[in-house]
Amino acid sequence: EGRYPVLYGAQGEGQRRREHYREVCNMKFVPNLLTLLNLSLGTLALINLFTGDYAKSAVYILLAVVLDGMDGRLARRLQVASEMGKQMDSLSDLVSFGVAPALLVFVQVFSPTYGYSLISVAVTVLFVICGAYRLARFNVLNITDYFVGVPITVAGGLVGALSFLASILPAMGFLLILPVLSFLMISSIKVPKW
């Protein structure tokens, strides 16, 4: 009888269904696990801000970039992409590539240079808001051929990478880079999917 030999008589069909169900559940879980690891890395990046370990925080953001590139591809390859996975991915991305990089720059660069100034707070909040808007628009538009605006993963990953240059890049550079990236995320430019 092909792949599933009848081992249990009439119960063999039930056994086959349970095995098939386990296989499908396990495949569905893997991309979601990568998404949750992405979220965990973003959270670890935030935790390391409190301890003052900015380099480790940036490394967690960059590792999250790698995982974010894998979860969606794997879900499509395994044919287990779901609306739940898509929403969970966006929420994880907001933490890992919106909140974590913005606060990294605020704590590492803006706060020591400008204190709790209106401009540094505004630029930090703007980056998070534009990232959230970009993710929401992505989920609603459902375009598969290209991205509309720079993906938050690219913007947040770039900010995380640039934080390694905080000792040589003036704070004013970050005050210019964050708003530019913010507006690129919500722009209508078409960015090819890779």
Side-chain angles (χ1 to χ4, degrees), residues 60-129:
Y60 285 133
I61 292 167
L62 295 175
L63 288 173
V65 169
V66 173
L67 288 179
D68 189 56
M70 294 169 56
D71 60 1
R73 269 192 205 97
L74 187 60
R76 287 185 295 278
R77 186 170 191 171
L78 294 175
Q79 298 177 348
V80 294
S82 67
E83 189 61 29
M84 169 85 169
K86 182 178 180 181
Q87 298 302 324
M88 199 163 52
D89 184 66
S90 290
L91 292 171
S92 297
D93 289 354
L94 183 57
V95 172
S96 297
F97 312 120
V99 177
L103 289 181
L104 172 60
V105 169
F106 181 81
V107 172
Q108 182 184 21
V109 179
F110 294 159
S111 184
T113 307
Y114 302 113
Y116 198 75
S117 69
L118 178 62
I119 187 73
S120 63
V121 170
V123 166
T124 302
V125 171
L126 177 70
F127 188 83
V128 176
I129 288 172

